[in-house]
Amino acid sequence: GDLLQGNPLAYVAARVDLTGQRISVERLTGDLNGGSLSGNGFVLLGDGGIADVQLELTTDEWQPTSP
């Protein structure tokens, strides 16, 4: 299923650095259905598209909504 389906995500802020073929998410914050969302990580681009992804997302006091 879709993690965000029926779970509103608001007030999103991110610090993203672009270096060569690497997209680094230094900081990600937001409100997720009454709780908070934070994260960081990277996406590495290759010749044919995305070569590698490492993202860590953390939620606090998030209440999932059933579809």
Side-chain angles (χ1 to χ4, degrees):
D2 185 359
L3 172 68
L4 295 178
Q5 182 178 0
N7 294 288
L9 180 61
Y11 305 109
V12 177
R15 161 129 184 164
V16 178
D17 292 323
L18 307 173
T19 306
Q21 292 182 296
R22 185 181 179 104
I23 303 168
S24 297
V25 180
E26 301 297 328
R27 183 185 69 239
L28 172 69
T29 60
D31 292 346
L32 180 60
N33 202 33
S36 63
L37 171 73
S38 61
N40 60 39
F42 69 86
V43 176
L44 185 61
L45 302 176
D47 293 333
I50 296 175
D52 193 14
V53 175
Q54 183 177 350
L55 294 174
E56 181 177 323
L57 299 175
T58 304
T59 60
D60 185 37
E61 298 190 26
W62 167 50
Q63 298 297 317
T65 302
S66 298

